[in-house]
Amino acid sequence: MPSYQAPLRDIRFVTQEVLGFTQHYQALPNAQEAHELQDAILQEGAKFAEQVLAPLNQVGDQQGCQRDAAGQVSTPAGFKAAYQAYVDGGWPSLAQDPEYGGQGLPPSLGMILNEMICSANLAWGMYPGLSHGAMDALRHHGNAEQKSTYLKPLIEGRWTGTMCLTEPHCGTDLGLIKTKAQPQADGSYHISGTKIFISAGDHDLAENIIHLVLAKLPDAPEGTRGISLFIVPKYVPDAQGQVGAANTVTCGALEHKMGIHGNSTCVMNFDAAQGWLVGEPHKGLKCMFTMMNAARIGVGIQGLGLTEVAYQNALAYARERLQMRALTGAKAPEQVADPIIVHPDVRRMLLTQKAFAEGGRALIYYTAQLVDTVEAQGEYAQEADKLLGLLTPIVKAFLTEVAFESTNEGLQVFGGHGFIQEWGMEQFVRDARITRLYEGTTGIQALDLLGRKVLLDQGQTLRSFTKQIHLFCQAQEDKPDMRIFIEPLSQLNKEWGELTMQIGMRALQDKEEVGAAAVDYLMYSGYVCLAYFWAQMAARALQALEAGTQEADFYQAKLHTATFYYQRLLPRTRTHAHILQQDAQSLMQMSAQDFDLGFAI
Amino acid sequence: MPSYQAPLRDIRFVTQEVLGFTQHYQALPNAQEAHELQDAILQEGAKFAEQVLAPLNQVGDQQGCQRDAAGQVSTPAGFKAAYQAYVDGGWPSLAQDPEYGGQGLPPSLGMILNEMICSANLAWGMYPGLSHGAMDALRHHGNAEQKSTYLKPLIEGRWTGTMCLTEPHCGTDLGLIKTKAQPQADGSYHISGTKIFISAGDHDLAENIIHLVLAKLPDAPEGTRGISLFIVPKYVPDAQGQVGAANTVTCGALEHKMGIHGNSTCVMNFDAAQGWLVGEPHKGLKCMFTMMNAARIGVGIQGLGLTEVAYQNALAYARERLQMRALTGAKAPEQVADPIIVHPDVRRMLLTQKAFAEGGRALIYYTAQLVDTVEAQGEYAQEADKLLGLLTPIVKAFLTEVAFESTNEGLQVFGGHGFIQEWGMEQFVRDARITRLYEGTTGIQALDLLGRKVLLDQGQTLRSFTKQIHLFCQAQEDKPDMRIFIEPLSQLNKEWGELTMQIGMRALQDKEEVGAAAVDYLMYSGYVCLAYFWAQMAARALQALEAGTQEADFYQAKLHTATFYYQRLLPRTRTHAHILQQDAQSLMQMSAQDFDLGFAI
């Protein structure tokens, strides 16, 4: 069975030594406690992830969820007890509003905790994860009564939440949804329709489930401007706010999926179910995006979590498995063969995972700081929000693409054993596969990045980010040991702007150029971002080594991994840059009916 | 449920129009019939694959194989009847020796048939596939008695075969095997040991199963030079060659795997089982390599088959699924949204699959010609054998790596639906995952290519292949429409040799350089090979268009796909070339104990 050990030293390296979380927390209002509590919270969270959640990951995959004849869904053995322990530990309330029972700590702490949860048990982590989305939407868009009725029990963890967007015929294109909301005399609505792919849609972990549902009012305009958001509870709360009568929303079926078997993915049937409007009529998509942006970063964190845990297990196997001798002669002559970690290609696979995990962590924790800043609504909130908007699709899509690669490299280290369920490596791959799809596929994230966040913005936010990278490079340029990082980073940073300009010019002539370039552009951007964070980590490691340290090996390993990233992963930008200079014609010129002419007899 | 249509037009394009199978068959001894029968055989094979095998693919995945209390294994519903139909159709004997009941057709025909079988039902196809391996080994290394006893019923399909190599502690490193062979007074041996990952190890399709088993004789030298090959039948044939007494070889367990559920992957226990030596003592590995080389190309064919079928289903979905409007305005204004095939990124995913399927097909069919030539033992046999040796690891590893990418792109086209089992796309991904592992992982293939087939050969075979490419480029250089292909191909062909030299020089200093470069080298080589075949296909398409044709769209689509390959896939060589110029240090410098310093508290 795979194991997991929270990478607390690496987490501390990023938070304390690279990204200056101490100063960051000090600059936030109401976050004076965050710095002091941080270590204790992460250590407790690590224990919970390692000892409670990780042992349930494989059993959750094997058992999956069950739906009984009455339509009630039960989760795998142990999931309910783990959820109760999570509630008892006060974890749901960590970063929530004290007015409704939250602890008021900055969101970043919850995001770091979430990394550990995702490493330990992704399918389980989705239950509280979806609740967080619901809490975000209610906090921002719910009225006072809705907050006191729904937000409080969600924060306590007594209830959980869902996001109900997708329908059988539409996912990306929400303008097409058919679910209807019929106004009632008492101010509530009757919601009717079918939603699919509803994660945590029904389960046995909590007393009640609060669905946040997109539906159309009778007078709704066409398309996405006619979508409204509704609260539809599984059980309608009574006057005391306790669980009351069953609503007419039921789980019609569980989906049979490639992975995340421990999470209940439901077809939800709304049969004139009682619901209440959240925010203004027809403005539901905007409310939903509040949830969705956080959810997208959450999916990036899932990618990071899986990359880390796959790496840890591949590493353990690579040290134990004896097979062949090193090409330069036996390294473990006392054994029948050398441990496979002596082989360069096994090291390539391990270092790929390691570089993506540690680089991805720095990128995500940086966005976590931006989330803190935005939520605190201080003087830099607007600037942080723009940068967060730019980085969100990169975090979501780039880190899940490389997570799929990384979990696959982890499996590959095991050779044929990696294909066997018992070892648990193939579960990481199957679980990782969904992260490239949900909350907007990689293609959709790429369009969001290039189309909306870069071109529509006239490249303004991108320029402020590349300027930040430029200033970092300038500050490092007199350090000879940093040259191997700073030279390529400066060049790429410049090229990033140039390629953006080129695509922008082509897009003026033909809008399809945006779609044609988008995914390569996103991947290119992701590699540059990670290069920036790896250079920062290298700079910190050099500084520590120069100052003298008890942990020279730790910092040396950071430099080695940074070097690996620059020499063997960053060159992927060469391919993307090359493709980004091509126009859309090679994609668009074939007529749709010519794609299958080879199947004819 | 996914569907499959044999791409007979594309197959004919490659065999008849690009690779000149007519002349090829005419040049072979005993192959006069091959050309005439070819079309009929492929059309019958297509029907069998489409109508008998494809409908069983999903049910095979869902049911998997079962092992009863007595240790007998049963295959999924329908597999046995399909196998009987396969036997009744005379398919097992297609390319086998007429002396033992074979039809004596060239192996290439069987390989083309195999592509269709792998598209339709990979897990089923492995049962006859393993038999072919056993037949190859017996044909080359068995004595007359062994051939008449075992080869005949294998050719008839009454019996099937297996390859028993791997043991729990060793797969790649066969020198470590522990299975023992104890000589008996009657000339037979008692084989004792445990083999794992035995595909088709036990099942209910055939009367008997012939295991080809690697084991060590009592006087065996250490390592791979002390391995012998044995025939161990499930039931020992009686004097009439009929199924006799049960041998002491049993299936101890079925592995629970990520994919290929319809194939029984067995732990096989040999408990002093009666066996007979094949070939000379201690020369078993050489005999096994006869099977393994064919098996490796067979795995490349599996990759091709999965790429093709995933493409077909993704294409069908992309034409039907309505979601969003094209960025340049509605293309299907009469519908609620445009079919997603209008979006450039969906086209990128489809064209990636299409380019790998069609390019991979040309590469494999070319190697199939080489196999024919080698088997025919004519004047070019030795030359063909060397080239086949060079291309085999590329076919095996490159085409399975891109098959995994392609099946994943196919899944991605479906968005969230791709993750749901019902659609069948995730099965293609899970089934494809094994192809990167078995019969030698990608890393092992890469070492075989760079270490053995290129450097140990002093680059001789590579030079003769790059010369062939060079001559092709020269012959095309006066054709303006070919310039977009020939210019990059010539450059790459030259660079291929230069990079090889560079790595060779570094390897003289440090053998680890071979392992460090191997996988990038293999992938680079694969992209160049496909570029060569895509240029040939483009040349043929241009020729047809210039000559005038009823099928202008078909040939135009070939040119479009070739252009896509050159503009958007071939640039991946830029990254590999960049990495191939780095030395091994970034992989080797980190000490094995420093890989986990970040997990500490």
Side-chain angles (χ1 to χ4, degrees), chain A residues 336-386:
Chain A
V336 294
D338 287 334
I340 61 173
I341 198 170
V342 305
H343 305 305
D345 193 57
V346 171
R347 290 173 154 258
R348 178 187 62 77
M349 296 190 276
L350 292 172
L351 285 163
T352 298
Q353 299 176 268
K354 184 173 169 64
F356 282 139
E358 295 171 23
R361 179 173 297 118
L363 169 60
I364 285 184
Y365 290 11
Y366 178 74
T367 63
Q369 288 185 324
L370 297 174
V371 172
D372 287 347
T373 306
V374 172
E375 291 284 323
Q377 297 180 0
E379 109 187 76
Y380 301 110
Q382 211 182 350
E383 203 184 319
D385 196 36
K386 286 211 126 193

Short mmCIF file of all heavy atoms in Angstrom, two decimals, chain A residues 336-386:
data_model
loop_
_atom_site.label_atom_id
_atom_site.label_comp_id
_atom_site.label_asym_id
_atom_site.label_seq_id
_atom_site.Cartn_x
_atom_site.Cartn_y
_atom_site.Cartn_z
N VAL A 336 22.43 -8.43 -4.83
CA VAL A 336 22.39 -9.17 -6.11
C VAL A 336 22.34 -8.24 -7.31
O VAL A 336 22.68 -8.62 -8.43
CB VAL A 336 21.19 -10.14 -6.19
CG1 VAL A 336 21.33 -11.25 -5.16
CG2 VAL A 336 19.87 -9.39 -6.01
N ALA A 337 21.86 -7.02 -7.09
CA ALA A 337 21.81 -6.02 -8.16
C ALA A 337 21.76 -4.66 -7.48
O ALA A 337 21.63 -4.57 -6.25
CB ALA A 337 20.59 -6.23 -9.05
N ASP A 338 21.88 -3.60 -8.26
CA ASP A 338 21.83 -2.26 -7.69
C ASP A 338 20.38 -1.80 -7.53
O ASP A 338 19.51 -2.19 -8.32
CB ASP A 338 22.55 -1.27 -8.61
CG ASP A 338 24.06 -1.45 -8.57
OD1 ASP A 338 24.58 -1.94 -7.54
OD2 ASP A 338 24.73 -1.11 -9.57
N PRO A 339 20.13 -0.95 -6.53
CA PRO A 339 18.79 -0.34 -6.48
C PRO A 339 18.61 0.52 -7.73
O PRO A 339 19.55 1.17 -8.19
CB PRO A 339 18.82 0.51 -5.22
CG PRO A 339 20.27 0.73 -4.93
CD PRO A 339 21.01 -0.46 -5.47
N ILE A 340 17.41 0.51 -8.26
CA ILE A 340 17.23 1.14 -9.58
C ILE A 340 17.43 2.65 -9.57
O ILE A 340 17.54 3.26 -10.64
CB ILE A 340 15.87 0.77 -10.23
CG1 ILE A 340 14.69 1.24 -9.38
CG2 ILE A 340 15.79 -0.72 -10.52
CD1 ILE A 340 13.33 1.05 -10.06
N ILE A 341 17.53 3.26 -8.40
CA ILE A 341 17.78 4.69 -8.36
C ILE A 341 19.17 5.04 -8.90
O ILE A 341 19.46 6.21 -9.18
CB ILE A 341 17.58 5.27 -6.93
CG1 ILE A 341 17.41 6.79 -6.98
CG2 ILE A 341 18.72 4.88 -6.00
CD1 ILE A 341 16.96 7.42 -5.68
N VAL A 342 20.02 4.06 -9.11
CA VAL A 342 21.33 4.36 -9.71
C VAL A 342 21.20 4.66 -11.21
O VAL A 342 22.10 5.28 -11.79
CB VAL A 342 22.36 3.20 -9.54
CG1 VAL A 342 22.52 2.83 -8.07
CG2 VAL A 342 22.02 1.99 -10.40
N HIS A 343 20.13 4.23 -11.84
CA HIS A 343 20.02 4.37 -13.30
C HIS A 343 19.57 5.78 -13.69
O HIS A 343 18.58 6.27 -13.16
CB HIS A 343 19.05 3.33 -13.87
CG HIS A 343 19.40 1.93 -13.51
ND1 HIS A 343 20.64 1.39 -13.78
CD2 HIS A 343 18.70 0.94 -12.87
CE1 HIS A 343 20.68 0.13 -13.34
NE2 HIS A 343 19.52 -0.16 -12.77
N PRO A 344 20.26 6.40 -14.62
CA PRO A 344 19.94 7.79 -14.98
C PRO A 344 18.49 7.99 -15.38
O PRO A 344 17.89 9.01 -15.03
CB PRO A 344 20.86 8.08 -16.18
CG PRO A 344 21.90 7.03 -16.18
CD PRO A 344 21.42 5.89 -15.37
N ASP A 345 17.91 7.03 -16.09
CA ASP A 345 16.55 7.25 -16.55
C ASP A 345 15.54 7.16 -15.41
O ASP A 345 14.52 7.85 -15.42
CB ASP A 345 16.17 6.27 -17.67
CG ASP A 345 14.89 6.71 -18.36
OD1 ASP A 345 14.87 7.86 -18.86
OD2 ASP A 345 13.91 5.95 -18.35
N VAL A 346 15.83 6.34 -14.42
CA VAL A 346 14.96 6.30 -13.24
C VAL A 346 15.06 7.64 -12.50
O VAL A 346 14.06 8.20 -12.05
CB VAL A 346 15.33 5.11 -12.33
CG1 VAL A 346 14.59 5.18 -11.00
CG2 VAL A 346 15.04 3.80 -13.05
N ARG A 347 16.28 8.15 -12.42
CA ARG A 347 16.48 9.47 -11.80
C ARG A 347 15.76 10.56 -12.59
O ARG A 347 15.20 11.49 -12.01
CB ARG A 347 17.97 9.79 -11.75
CG ARG A 347 18.69 8.92 -10.74
CD ARG A 347 20.19 9.11 -10.81
NE ARG A 347 20.74 8.77 -9.51
CZ ARG A 347 21.13 9.64 -8.59
NH1 ARG A 347 21.11 10.93 -8.85
NH2 ARG A 347 21.57 9.24 -7.43
N ARG A 348 15.78 10.45 -13.90
CA ARG A 348 15.05 11.42 -14.72
C ARG A 348 13.57 11.43 -14.34
O ARG A 348 12.96 12.49 -14.17
CB ARG A 348 15.19 11.08 -16.21
CG ARG A 348 14.43 12.01 -17.15
CD ARG A 348 14.46 11.53 -18.60
NE ARG A 348 13.82 10.25 -18.80
CZ ARG A 348 12.50 10.03 -18.83
NH1 ARG A 348 11.65 11.03 -18.69
NH2 ARG A 348 12.02 8.80 -19.01
N MET A 349 13.00 10.24 -14.17
CA MET A 349 11.57 10.17 -13.83
C MET A 349 11.32 10.73 -12.43
O MET A 349 10.36 11.46 -12.21
CB MET A 349 11.08 8.73 -13.95
CG MET A 349 11.16 8.21 -15.39
SD MET A 349 10.33 6.62 -15.66
CE MET A 349 11.59 5.47 -15.14
N LEU A 350 12.19 10.38 -11.49
CA LEU A 350 12.02 10.88 -10.12
C LEU A 350 12.21 12.40 -10.06
O LEU A 350 11.43 13.11 -9.42
CB LEU A 350 13.03 10.22 -9.18
CG LEU A 350 12.83 8.72 -8.93
CD1 LEU A 350 14.02 8.15 -8.15
CD2 LEU A 350 11.52 8.45 -8.19
N LEU A 351 13.23 12.89 -10.73
CA LEU A 351 13.50 14.34 -10.67
C LEU A 351 12.41 15.14 -11.38
O LEU A 351 12.10 16.26 -10.99
CB LEU A 351 14.89 14.64 -11.27
CG LEU A 351 16.06 14.26 -10.35
CD1 LEU A 351 17.37 14.20 -11.14
CD2 LEU A 351 16.18 15.24 -9.18
N THR A 352 11.82 14.53 -12.41
CA THR A 352 10.69 15.21 -13.07
C THR A 352 9.56 15.42 -12.07
O THR A 352 9.00 16.52 -11.95
CB THR A 352 10.21 14.36 -14.26
OG1 THR A 352 11.29 14.23 -15.20
CG2 THR A 352 9.01 14.99 -14.97
N GLN A 353 9.23 14.37 -11.34
CA GLN A 353 8.17 14.48 -10.34
C GLN A 353 8.54 15.48 -9.25
O GLN A 353 7.73 16.30 -8.83
CB GLN A 353 7.92 13.12 -9.68
CG GLN A 353 7.50 12.04 -10.64
CD GLN A 353 7.39 10.70 -9.92
OE1 GLN A 353 8.32 9.92 -9.88
NE2 GLN A 353 6.24 10.44 -9.35
N LYS A 354 9.78 15.37 -8.80
CA LYS A 354 10.26 16.23 -7.69
C LYS A 354 10.24 17.70 -8.12
O LYS A 354 9.79 18.57 -7.37
CB LYS A 354 11.68 15.79 -7.33
CG LYS A 354 12.32 16.48 -6.15
CD LYS A 354 13.66 15.79 -5.82
CE LYS A 354 14.49 16.58 -4.83
NZ LYS A 354 13.85 16.69 -3.50
N ALA A 355 10.72 17.96 -9.32
CA ALA A 355 10.79 19.36 -9.79
C ALA A 355 9.39 19.94 -9.99
O ALA A 355 9.17 21.12 -9.70
CB ALA A 355 11.58 19.42 -11.09
N PHE A 356 8.47 19.12 -10.46
CA PHE A 356 7.10 19.62 -10.63
C PHE A 356 6.40 19.80 -9.28
O PHE A 356 5.64 20.75 -9.09
CB PHE A 356 6.27 18.70 -11.53
CG PHE A 356 6.58 18.86 -13.01
CD1 PHE A 356 6.68 17.76 -13.85
CD2 PHE A 356 6.74 20.13 -13.56
CE1 PHE A 356 6.95 17.91 -15.22
CE2 PHE A 356 7.01 20.28 -14.94
CZ PHE A 356 7.12 19.17 -15.76
N ALA A 357 6.65 18.89 -8.35
CA ALA A 357 6.01 19.01 -7.03
C ALA A 357 6.51 20.28 -6.34
O ALA A 357 5.72 21.11 -5.88
CB ALA A 357 6.30 17.77 -6.18
N GLU A 358 7.81 20.44 -6.27
CA GLU A 358 8.36 21.56 -5.49
C GLU A 358 8.16 22.90 -6.22
O GLU A 358 7.87 23.91 -5.58
CB GLU A 358 9.84 21.30 -5.17
CG GLU A 358 9.98 20.10 -4.25
CD GLU A 358 11.41 19.63 -4.03
OE1 GLU A 358 12.36 20.43 -4.20
OE2 GLU A 358 11.58 18.44 -3.70
N GLY A 359 8.30 22.88 -7.51
CA GLY A 359 8.04 24.11 -8.28
C GLY A 359 6.57 24.47 -8.24
O GLY A 359 6.19 25.64 -8.08
N GLY A 360 5.71 23.46 -8.38
CA GLY A 360 4.27 23.68 -8.33
C GLY A 360 3.83 24.21 -6.97
O GLY A 360 2.95 25.07 -6.88
N ARG A 361 4.46 23.67 -5.93
CA ARG A 361 4.12 24.14 -4.58
C ARG A 361 4.41 25.63 -4.45
O ARG A 361 3.59 26.39 -3.92
CB ARG A 361 4.92 23.33 -3.56
CG ARG A 361 4.66 23.77 -2.11
CD ARG A 361 5.35 22.84 -1.11
NE ARG A 361 4.78 21.51 -1.24
CZ ARG A 361 5.49 20.42 -1.59
NH1 ARG A 361 6.79 20.52 -1.84
NH2 ARG A 361 4.89 19.26 -1.69
N ALA A 362 5.57 26.06 -4.92
CA ALA A 362 5.92 27.49 -4.81
C ALA A 362 4.92 28.34 -5.59
O ALA A 362 4.47 29.38 -5.10
CB ALA A 362 7.35 27.71 -5.33
N LEU A 363 4.56 27.89 -6.79
CA LEU A 363 3.58 28.64 -7.58
C LEU A 363 2.24 28.72 -6.85
O LEU A 363 1.63 29.80 -6.75
CB LEU A 363 3.40 27.96 -8.95
CG LEU A 363 2.23 28.45 -9.82
CD1 LEU A 363 2.35 29.94 -10.14
CD2 LEU A 363 2.15 27.64 -11.12
N ILE A 364 1.78 27.60 -6.32
CA ILE A 364 0.47 27.60 -5.65
C ILE A 364 0.49 28.43 -4.37
O ILE A 364 -0.44 29.18 -4.10
CB ILE A 364 0.01 26.16 -5.37
CG1 ILE A 364 -0.46 25.53 -6.68
CG2 ILE A 364 -1.13 26.15 -4.34
CD1 ILE A 364 -1.02 24.15 -6.54
N TYR A 365 1.55 28.31 -3.61
CA TYR A 365 1.60 29.07 -2.36
C TYR A 365 1.68 30.57 -2.65
O TYR A 365 1.18 31.39 -1.87
CB TYR A 365 2.76 28.62 -1.47
CG TYR A 365 2.57 27.23 -0.87
CD1 TYR A 365 1.55 26.38 -1.29
CD2 TYR A 365 3.41 26.77 0.14
CE1 TYR A 365 1.39 25.11 -0.75
CE2 TYR A 365 3.26 25.51 0.70
CZ TYR A 365 2.25 24.69 0.25
OH TYR A 365 2.09 23.44 0.79
N TYR A 366 2.30 30.89 -3.75
CA TYR A 366 2.30 32.30 -4.16
C TYR A 366 0.88 32.76 -4.50
O TYR A 366 0.45 33.84 -4.05
CB TYR A 366 3.24 32.48 -5.36
CG TYR A 366 3.28 33.90 -5.90
CD1 TYR A 366 3.96 34.90 -5.21
CD2 TYR A 366 2.66 34.21 -7.10
CE1 TYR A 366 3.99 36.20 -5.69
CE2 TYR A 366 2.69 35.51 -7.60
CZ TYR A 366 3.36 36.50 -6.90
OH TYR A 366 3.38 37.78 -7.39
N THR A 367 0.15 31.96 -5.22
CA THR A 367 -1.24 32.34 -5.51
C THR A 367 -2.07 32.36 -4.22
O THR A 367 -3.00 33.14 -4.09
CB THR A 367 -1.93 31.41 -6.54
OG1 THR A 367 -2.01 30.10 -6.02
CG2 THR A 367 -1.20 31.39 -7.85
N ALA A 368 -1.69 31.51 -3.26
CA ALA A 368 -2.40 31.51 -1.97
C ALA A 368 -2.22 32.86 -1.27
O ALA A 368 -3.15 33.38 -0.65
CB ALA A 368 -1.90 30.37 -1.09
N GLN A 369 -1.02 33.41 -1.38
CA GLN A 369 -0.80 34.74 -0.82
C GLN A 369 -1.69 35.78 -1.52
O GLN A 369 -2.25 36.67 -0.88
CB GLN A 369 0.66 35.15 -0.98
CG GLN A 369 1.62 34.40 -0.09
CD GLN A 369 3.04 34.92 -0.20
OE1 GLN A 369 3.47 35.32 -1.29
NE2 GLN A 369 3.76 34.92 0.91
N LEU A 370 -1.82 35.63 -2.82
CA LEU A 370 -2.68 36.55 -3.56
C LEU A 370 -4.13 36.42 -3.09
O LEU A 370 -4.83 37.43 -2.93
CB LEU A 370 -2.58 36.30 -5.07
CG LEU A 370 -1.22 36.53 -5.72
CD1 LEU A 370 -1.25 36.09 -7.19
CD2 LEU A 370 -0.80 37.99 -5.63
N VAL A 371 -4.56 35.18 -2.86
CA VAL A 371 -5.92 34.97 -2.36
C VAL A 371 -6.10 35.67 -1.01
O VAL A 371 -7.09 36.38 -0.78
CB VAL A 371 -6.24 33.46 -2.26
CG1 VAL A 371 -7.59 33.24 -1.55
CG2 VAL A 371 -6.25 32.80 -3.63
N ASP A 372 -5.12 35.49 -0.13
CA ASP A 372 -5.17 36.19 1.17
C ASP A 372 -5.34 37.70 0.96
O ASP A 372 -6.16 38.34 1.62
CB ASP A 372 -3.86 35.98 1.94
CG ASP A 372 -3.72 34.57 2.52
OD1 ASP A 372 -4.72 33.83 2.53
OD2 ASP A 372 -2.59 34.24 2.95
N THR A 373 -4.53 38.24 0.08
CA THR A 373 -4.53 39.69 -0.13
C THR A 373 -5.86 40.17 -0.71
O THR A 373 -6.39 41.19 -0.30
CB THR A 373 -3.36 40.06 -1.08
OG1 THR A 373 -2.16 39.53 -0.53
CG2 THR A 373 -3.23 41.57 -1.23
N VAL A 374 -6.38 39.38 -1.65
CA VAL A 374 -7.68 39.75 -2.23
C VAL A 374 -8.76 39.70 -1.16
O VAL A 374 -9.56 40.63 -1.01
CB VAL A 374 -8.04 38.80 -3.40
CG1 VAL A 374 -9.47 39.04 -3.87
CG2 VAL A 374 -7.05 38.97 -4.55
N GLU A 375 -8.77 38.63 -0.38
CA GLU A 375 -9.82 38.46 0.63
C GLU A 375 -9.75 39.55 1.71
O GLU A 375 -10.77 39.97 2.26
CB GLU A 375 -9.71 37.08 1.30
CG GLU A 375 -10.06 35.92 0.38
CD GLU A 375 -11.56 35.77 0.16
OE1 GLU A 375 -12.31 36.00 1.11
OE2 GLU A 375 -11.96 35.44 -0.98
N ALA A 376 -8.54 39.98 2.01
CA ALA A 376 -8.37 40.99 3.06
C ALA A 376 -8.81 42.37 2.58
O ALA A 376 -8.94 43.30 3.38
CB ALA A 376 -6.92 41.03 3.52
N GLN A 377 -9.01 42.52 1.28
CA GLN A 377 -9.51 43.76 0.70
C GLN A 377 -8.73 45.00 1.10
O GLN A 377 -9.29 46.08 1.29
CB GLN A 377 -11.01 43.93 1.03
CG GLN A 377 -11.82 42.82 0.42
CD GLN A 377 -13.31 42.95 0.72
OE1 GLN A 377 -13.73 43.88 1.39
NE2 GLN A 377 -14.09 42.02 0.20
N GLY A 378 -7.43 44.83 1.22
CA GLY A 378 -6.57 45.98 1.55
C GLY A 378 -6.14 46.73 0.31
O GLY A 378 -6.75 46.58 -0.78
N GLU A 379 -5.08 47.48 0.43
CA GLU A 379 -4.71 48.41 -0.64
C GLU A 379 -4.24 47.70 -1.92
O GLU A 379 -4.40 48.20 -3.02
CB GLU A 379 -3.69 49.43 -0.09
CG GLU A 379 -2.28 49.34 -0.57
CD GLU A 379 -1.36 50.31 0.21
OE1 GLU A 379 -1.00 50.03 1.38
OE2 GLU A 379 -1.01 51.34 -0.40
N TYR A 380 -3.67 46.49 -1.77
CA TYR A 380 -3.17 45.78 -2.96
C TYR A 380 -4.17 44.76 -3.52
O TYR A 380 -3.84 43.97 -4.40
CB TYR A 380 -1.86 45.06 -2.63
CG TYR A 380 -0.79 45.99 -2.15
CD1 TYR A 380 -0.37 45.98 -0.82
CD2 TYR A 380 -0.21 46.92 -3.02
CE1 TYR A 380 0.60 46.86 -0.38
CE2 TYR A 380 0.76 47.81 -2.58
CZ TYR A 380 1.16 47.77 -1.27
OH TYR A 380 2.12 48.64 -0.82
N ALA A 381 -5.38 44.80 -2.97
CA ALA A 381 -6.34 43.74 -3.32
C ALA A 381 -6.64 43.68 -4.82
O ALA A 381 -6.67 42.62 -5.43
CB ALA A 381 -7.64 43.92 -2.55
N GLN A 382 -6.81 44.85 -5.42
CA GLN A 382 -7.19 44.87 -6.82
C GLN A 382 -6.06 44.34 -7.72
O GLN A 382 -6.29 43.55 -8.63
CB GLN A 382 -7.55 46.30 -7.23
CG GLN A 382 -8.61 46.34 -8.31
CD GLN A 382 -8.94 47.75 -8.74
OE1 GLN A 382 -8.52 48.72 -8.09
NE2 GLN A 382 -9.69 47.87 -9.82
N GLU A 383 -4.86 44.78 -7.42
CA GLU A 383 -3.68 44.32 -8.16
C GLU A 383 -3.52 42.80 -8.00
O GLU A 383 -3.27 42.07 -8.96
CB GLU A 383 -2.46 45.05 -7.58
CG GLU A 383 -1.29 45.15 -8.49
CD GLU A 383 -0.13 45.80 -7.73
OE1 GLU A 383 -0.36 46.78 -6.97
OE2 GLU A 383 1.00 45.29 -7.90
N ALA A 384 -3.66 42.36 -6.75
CA ALA A 384 -3.53 40.92 -6.48
C ALA A 384 -4.61 40.14 -7.21
O ALA A 384 -4.35 39.04 -7.73
CB ALA A 384 -3.62 40.66 -4.97
N ASP A 385 -5.79 40.69 -7.28
CA ASP A 385 -6.90 40.00 -7.94
C ASP A 385 -6.61 39.80 -9.43
O ASP A 385 -6.91 38.75 -9.99
CB ASP A 385 -8.18 40.80 -7.75
CG ASP A 385 -9.41 39.96 -8.07
OD1 ASP A 385 -9.39 38.75 -7.78
OD2 ASP A 385 -10.37 40.52 -8.64
N LYS A 386 -6.02 40.81 -10.04
CA LYS A 386 -5.69 40.70 -11.47
C LYS A 386 -4.63 39.63 -11.69
O LYS A 386 -4.72 38.80 -12.59
CB LYS A 386 -5.20 42.05 -11.99
CG LYS A 386 -6.32 43.07 -12.17
CD LYS A 386 -6.02 44.02 -13.31
CE LYS A 386 -7.16 44.05 -14.30
NZ LYS A 386 -6.83 44.71 -15.56
#
